[in-house]
Amino acid sequence: QVRDNIHAYDLVNCFWNFFKNPKKGEVYNIGGGRNNSCSIIEIIKKIEDLTKIKMIKKYTSKNRTGDHIWYISNLSKIKRLYPNWNKKYNLLYFIIYYLFY
């Protein structure tokens, strides 16, 4: 499963930009975008590489019923309408923060 990850700070900052200048009737995709996307397998590998500790894991090739196999938000609309909004935190930040703090 591939997901795009967004830090709560970046999401709330996006909400704040919308609050200051709402666009009625608009719908937005919000997430971490392509640069903050990874699969569960990729993130486990990154954590193992950083910690030098192998995780105990079991891989099943069967997908969960009804689940998206791959999802990355298209941020072009939100960036076009709110050009002052930018993500502050990237994928590596998530990994390091949750491992060491």
Side-chain angles (χ1 to χ4, degrees):
Q1 299 168 338
V2 173
R3 299 289 187 272
D4 61 336
N5 301 274
I6 188 166
H7 192 278
Y9 174 91
D10 293 331
L11 181 60
V12 171
N13 190 26
C14 184
F15 292 160
W16 180 246
N17 276 267
F18 174 84
F19 175 78
K20 292 188 300 184
N21 186 18
K23 314 283 189 221
K24 295 180 182 178
E26 294 288 348
V27 176
Y28 306 99
N29 286 324
I30 186 69
R34 184 168 300 281
N35 292 338
N36 275 6
S37 68
C38 67
S39 73
I40 293 168
I41 293 169
E42 289 171 316
I43 203 74
I44 288 171
K45 175 77 171 112
K46 287 178 189 269
I47 292 169
E48 288 177 339
D49 289 348
L50 281 170
T51 63
K52 307 294 187 228
I53 298 170
K54 289 287 184 188
M55 293 184 174
I56 298 169
K57 55 195 174 280
K58 178 181 173 185
Y59 179 79
T60 303
S61 60
K62 183 179 177 190
N63 298 323
R64 294 186 307 183
T65 302
D67 198 7
H68 294 285
I69 296 170
W70 186 81
Y71 181 85
I72 298 175
S73 299
N74 179 347
L75 302 174
S76 61
K77 182 178 182 181
I78 196 82
K79 287 183 174 191
R80 178 175 44 84
L81 294 176
Y82 299 96
N84 291 329
W85 177 72
N86 288 301
K87 294 182 307 270
K88 181 176 180 179
Y89 297 100
N90 64 26
L91 191 58
L92 185 57
Y93 171 85
F94 294 126
I95 296 167
I96 293 170
Y97 180 83
Y98 290 110
L99 283 175
F100 301 108
Y101 294 102

